[in-house]
Amino acid sequence: MVSRARRIANVARSVRLVPTLPAVTLLVCSLTLTGCGGGVHGTPGGSGVRDPYFEKAGNGGYDVTHYGLRLAYDPEAHHLTGTATLTARATQDLSAFNLDLLGMEVERITVGRDVARWNRAGQELTVRPHDDIDRDDTFRVTVRYSGAPETVTDPDGSEEGWLRTPDGALALGEPTGSMAWFPGNHHPSDKAAYDLTVTVPKGLRAVSNGELRSETTARGRTTSVWHTGEPMASYLATLAIGRFDISSSRAGDLPVYAAVDPAEAVASRPVLGRLPEVLRWSERRFGPYPFATTGAIVDRAGFVGYALETQSRPVFPGAPGIRILVHELAHQWYGDSVTPESWRDMWLNEGFATYAEWLWEEDHGGRSARETFDAVYSGAYFDTAEAGEEIWAFPPADPPSAARVSDPPVYWRGAMVLQKVRQAVGDDRFFSILKGWAATHRHGNADTAGFTAYADKRAPGADLEGIWEDWLYGEGKPERP
């Protein structure tokens, strides 16, 4: 994501009971937890994964392997109809489990072929299957829902979730907005494959992540089918609905699909035309591109105020500049393929993508990454003295609150950590670490302790402890040797 500090610069619900079962029977089942489901031996899954900043994000007791989403959206009525089928593996014996879903009206839930009971409390949708689910069993839960999807305001004041645009909508998910448009296990630690079928009024298009499998128009409506085969965190899922100019091309053997709002087409063309060049450069620096397709979405959504690294197809709220394109494409390695274990590890996304900007400048006739480091350290990099001081507000590996996970220290001081490592180990070993980190954790999750251990192992002759202590975890501005 483009830093929320940089955005200015860069442009309780009532219990629902299944009506076919008598309420008294359901009450008895709920109180005794026996008999109605063939006997209970499991326990409920957790209503969160204890993320240090977003307590209710994600859920315990299961791991989602696939999302099948069938959606229909009417922009004029602002009405979304959805059926979500989640395929998951139980990680414990389950008598109940939770999904994250904000707003929307739940109409029916089934687990396997059986109707399930459920209740709502805020974003928590608790599902009680007819029979317990055994540990390691694979199960399917299908949720039918509808309503007016909500815009989510983050702790830092920015907006995500379902954002209405002049001709449609834009769905963005970091960090918790994806729960506004489909139920799921909405935490970056649970990644899954996706198949998304979206129907919109004729004349509009629905653009999402991955590969476009089909697009058909009948009876005044257009249906698009999108497939993402590689694991994806739900916050990286996107859906853009509106009028778009579409271009399909190739960068070597890689399909490139770009969707651009006509009002942004002329301004976007020069930079998007360099996307194959940026990809080739990124592969030289970071290793093989990790997904089956690439591209971009450029919408007419300046009110959003930030770009986002949505997997395989970053979203820009207007025509992007080259540095933003470099930043969001670098996230395909660092953030999308290698995804943080928790939101505390955000610097593994943003510090790396910011450093990619420094490397791009270094490799294209601008100042070196060392010179950029010096300018950031002295404050000369920033427009104001206050902005220069802000990057020392807290260590990049330990933001003080949910409202601060996208603040400047995570970006610029995170990038400074990488430059210090580069100086300590030398260029050959440093770039081997960058590539090796992306390859070792490809399509997985990782945390800060894992990165420091990896770098220590790959550079056994270098003393990196001082860097971790002073630059990654230390309070205030470190003394410069």
Side-chain angles (χ1 to χ4, degrees), residues 152 217 253:
V152 178
T217 299
D253 294 331

Side-chain angles (χ1 to χ4, degrees), residues 11-60:
V11 153
R13 305 182 188 280
S14 61
V15 173
R16 293 292 308 273
L17 300 178
V18 177
T20 56
L21 295 178
V24 172
T25 301
L26 292 175
L27 179 60
V28 170
C29 291
S30 177
L31 292 176
T32 64
L33 293 178
T34 59
C36 298
V40 170
H41 58 272
T43 57
S47 60
V49 295
R50 298 181 181 175
D51 186 273
Y53 303 112
F54 299 93
E55 180 182 1
K56 290 298 185 180
N59 301 284

Side-chain angles (χ1 to χ4, degrees), residues 38-173:
V40 170
H41 58 272
T43 57
S47 60
V49 295
R50 298 181 181 175
D51 186 273
Y53 303 112
F54 299 93
E55 180 182 1
K56 290 298 185 180
N59 301 284
Y62 65 95
D63 172 60
V64 182
T65 58
H66 181 265
Y67 287 89
L69 306 178
R70 300 187 66 88
L71 308 175
Y73 182 63
D74 180 350
E76 289 191 7
H78 182 44
H79 186 81
L80 178 70
T81 300
T83 299
T85 300
L86 286 63
T87 304
R89 181 184 63 84
T91 58
Q92 66 178 66
D93 294 337
L94 286 172
S95 61
F97 58 90
N98 282 27
L99 302 172
D100 301 313
L101 180 64
L102 184 66
M104 310 296 288
E105 182 76 11
V106 176
E107 299 167 1
R108 178 182 171 91
I109 301 178
T110 58
V111 178
R113 297 180 179 180
D114 297 319
V115 174
R117 296 177 293 125
W118 74 91
N119 65 277
R120 306 287 300 273
Q123 74 184 55
E124 297 297 326
L125 172 60
T126 302
V127 180
R128 302 186 181 277
H130 181 270
D131 296 299
D132 279 13
I133 302 168
D134 293 334
R135 180 175 179 170
D136 293 327
D137 278 359
T138 297
F139 65 96
R140 287 187 177 182
V141 53
T142 299
V143 182
R144 193 171 67 197
Y145 60 101
S146 63
E150 298 183 12
T151 297
V152 178
T153 301
D154 287 341
D156 69 0
S158 60
E159 293 186 336
E160 59 185 76
W162 196 269
L163 306 166
R164 302 182 73 178
T165 60
D167 56 359
L170 179 61
L172 299 175

